[in-house]
Amino acid sequence: MPQTLSCVYLHIVFSTKNRVGFLGDMELRKKMHTYLAGIVENQNCHAMRIGGVANHVHLFVRFGREITQSNLLRELKRSSSAWIKTQPGHPDDFTWQKGSGIFSVSPSNVEAVCHYIEHQEAHHRTVSFDDELRDFYNKCGMEWRGHDDE
């Protein structure tokens, strides 16, 4: 084969430390999502959708061939934490949790994941973040152990 082809979709989820609602201001949240999309693109990946609520974000990414998951996550958290501290009225103690969830997505589910991320506000009126993650883990056949924000 003369080319190296890759089509890997990832749904990435991570929250603010201790689920603090640092992103409660909609304007700041939208700017954060735009900034995260730029980080994704700078890492030679493609941001399909980015959304979330006051205390966590969802990134749907077509993953690049030349980066690891851990390097992408490290850059997302490091750069966005530094960026938010440059914003007017920024939260001085902003930080992301250490952990994250990364879930593979079949190409046949691209539209469903985009829709899911676009409708996070409505979704979280009835479903907590922990319940949401528990559901992701169950769908992947993994054991849920709760969250750890240390």
Side-chain angles (χ1 to χ4, degrees), residues 68-131:
T68 64
Q69 292 177 16
S70 61
N71 285 345
L72 177 59
L73 280 166
R74 182 174 33 260
E75 188 60 22
L76 284 164
K77 290 179 179 182
R78 184 194 65 76
S79 292
S80 62
S81 290
W83 169 83
I84 201 168
K85 292 173 182 158
T86 69
Q87 300 305 297
H90 70 277
D92 291 327
D93 54 347
F94 179 89
T95 187
W96 296 112
Q97 73 177 27
K98 284 186 180 181
S100 61
I102 304 176
F103 306 94
S104 60
V105 177
S106 167
S108 64
N109 289 321
V110 165
E111 285 185 41
V113 174
C114 288
H115 182 269
Y116 178 79
I117 291 173
E118 289 169 359
H119 294 89
Q120 280 293 292
E121 287 286 335
H123 174 71
H124 283 291
R125 286 187 199 122
T126 59
V127 178
S128 73
F129 180 72
D130 281 354
D131 287 344

Side-chain angles (χ1 to χ4, degrees), residues 21-57:
F22 289 125
L23 301 173
D25 176 86
M26 284 300 273
E27 185 176 331
L28 181 61
R29 186 182 317 162
K30 287 179 183 179
K31 286 180 181 180
M32 173 63 83
H33 295 167
T34 300
Y35 193 80
L36 289 167
I39 296 168
V40 168
E41 298 294 332
N42 285 338
Q43 299 301 312
N44 295 317
C45 299
H46 178 65
M48 306 289 291
R49 288 291 184 285
I50 298 181
V53 294
N55 66 359
H56 71 277
V57 294

